[in-house]
Amino acid sequence: MNQLSEKEVLHRALIYCSAAERCKQEVRKKIEALGMLPDAAEKILSYLEKERYLDEKRYACSFANDKFRFNKWGHIKIAYELQKKGIASQIRIDALHSIDDDDYERMLFELLKDKKKSIRKGEEHEKWIKLFRFAASHGFESEMIKRNLKQIFNGNEYDEDME
């Protein structure tokens, strides 16, 4: 394989970053996969940040909102995935705050309501536990899940053995 010049790698990185929001980690991997040495990769990354092709804050907010709206993920799962991508703690927090609280609560309620319809068998207690686990696997907070389940199950709480 022919070694690409720094200019060619920069051009490919510009195209890559123009196609969609990217985080620094994704672009670094792509650049290094093209055979760039770490010093040259950092130089390219610096240029991309300076010219605003790369912006971790913008990426994190976009990622958080997309995963919330389209994948119906909660704060916990979104924060975990952003952490895996090397996004700084304060940026993760700001990205999570960009999700509207009312929309977040409404999304969880609708998610649980829809899922409850698909659970055919079992007693109310078993359904409660299945729904709790389902929402937790989507990254929603325990207290918020319990509050919404209580509302869905008409005030009944079935979470005694979940503590």
Side-chain angles (χ1 to χ4, degrees):
M1 180 176 135
N2 292 338
Q3 182 70 19
L4 296 173
S5 72
E6 195 174 309
K7 189 175 181 180
E8 291 170 319
V9 172
L10 173 62
H11 180 71
R12 288 187 183 194
L14 289 169
I15 292 169
Y16 183 63
C17 291
S18 296
E21 288 292 342
R22 309 284 182 191
C23 70
K24 204 171 183 178
Q25 186 183 72
E26 292 171 334
V27 178
R28 180 180 283 114
K29 283 181 184 177
K30 194 64 109 175
I31 291 170
E32 289 174 355
L34 293 172
M36 283 284 104
L37 296 173
D39 288 344
E42 286 305 317
K43 188 175 166 186
I44 291 170
L45 288 168
S46 293
Y47 176 82
L48 293 171
E49 285 179 313
K50 187 179 91 181
E51 296 298 320
R52 303 214 9 101
Y53 282 92
L54 255 184
D55 185 328
E56 297 273 278
K57 289 179 185 176
R58 191 177 63 213
Y59 171 80
C61 286
S62 175
F63 181 90
N65 281 295
D66 285 354
K67 294 302 179 186
F68 168 67
R69 300 234 180 273
F70 302 119
N71 297 52
K72 297 176 176 33
W73 286 3
H75 287 152
I76 296 169
K77 190 168 186 173
I78 293 168
Y80 175 72
E81 291 299 322
L82 286 171
Q83 183 179 7
K84 280 181 20 183
K85 292 177 177 289
I87 305 298
S89 176
Q90 190 57 51
I91 295 173
R92 290 193 311 263
I93 291 167
D94 293 344
L96 294 175
H97 286 305
S98 73
I99 298 170
D100 182 71
D101 292 338
D102 293 334
D103 290 344
Y104 188 74
E105 186 93 30
R106 196 173 15 261
M107 171 76 75
L108 174 59
F109 184 78
E110 292 301 319
L111 191 65
L112 288 168
K113 218 168 65 170
D114 290 346
K115 183 66 177 175
K116 184 181 180 198
K117 291 176 190 172
S118 72
I119 300 174
R120 299 278 181 233
K121 295 181 181 176
E123 296 176 19
E124 294 286 289
H125 177 71
E126 292 169 355
K127 288 181 182 180
W128 173 285
I129 292 171
K130 284 181 183 181
L131 289 170
F132 185 92
R133 286 185 182 146
F134 171 76
S137 75
H138 277 255
F140 288 93
E141 298 83 348
S142 299
E143 289 306 314
M144 186 177 281
I145 297 169
K146 288 177 186 178
R147 187 173 55 248
N148 279 276
L149 285 174
K150 188 174 180 181
Q151 196 175 357
I152 289 170
F153 283 86
N154 300 316
N156 294 323
E157 292 192 51
Y158 297 103
D159 64 339
E160 306 86 32
D161 41 339
M162 297 204 48
E163 298 295 334

